Amino acid sequence: MKVVVIGGGASGLIAGGYSALNGNETVIIEKNEKLGKKIYITGKGRCNVTNAVGSEEFLTNVVSNPKFLMSAIHSFSPSDLMELIESYGYRSKQNAG
């Protein structure tokens, strides 16, 4: 199957990666000059991907409409994301506090 993902941000990269892993011919289209551009600028250039907190604590720190994220965060938690990244051989640095 041919799949086109519109947007090469964090979500688009994950979607495109899973699509390709499932054997699809996948193309990611991004308007910026490089994929994941906003990821590079998070955390003062340290490429923050998530917080090392539980799902409930994560939701209490969402500024507006945390209910919107409840289903997603319970299906794929911050620790799930860190495990996924590490399963590809990348180490994450976890800071306390």
Side-chain angles (χ1 to χ4, degrees):
M1 178 185 301
K2 293 182 179 184
V3 175
V4 176
V5 177
I6 307 297
S11 297
L13 292 171
I14 292 286
Y18 272 104
S19 174
L21 285 173
N22 284 308
N24 298 310
E25 183 180 335
T26 306
V27 175
I28 301 173
I29 298 175
E30 171 58 42
K31 68 179 177 178
N32 289 313
E33 67 275 5
K34 62 182 172 181
L35 296 172
K37 181 177 181 178
K38 290 182 182 178
I39 299 169
Y40 290 111
I41 62 174
T42 61
K44 298 180 182 176
R46 295 178 300 202
C47 193
N48 287 357
V49 291
T50 191
N51 294 316
V53 298
S55 297
E56 295 306 318
E57 185 177 348
F58 185 89
L59 289 169
T60 62
N61 290 292
V62 174
V63 177
S64 62
N65 199 11
K67 288 183 179 181
F68 175 76
L69 293 175
M70 286 182 100
S71 176
I73 205 76
H74 288 297
S75 296
F76 194 76
S77 70
S79 61
D80 292 333
L81 177 59
M82 288 189 290
E83 288 176 22
L84 174 67
I85 291 167
E86 290 175 2
S87 75
Y88 287 105
Y90 297 98
R91 293 184 329 172
S92 64
K93 180 178 178 181
Q94 298 177 26
N95 294 321

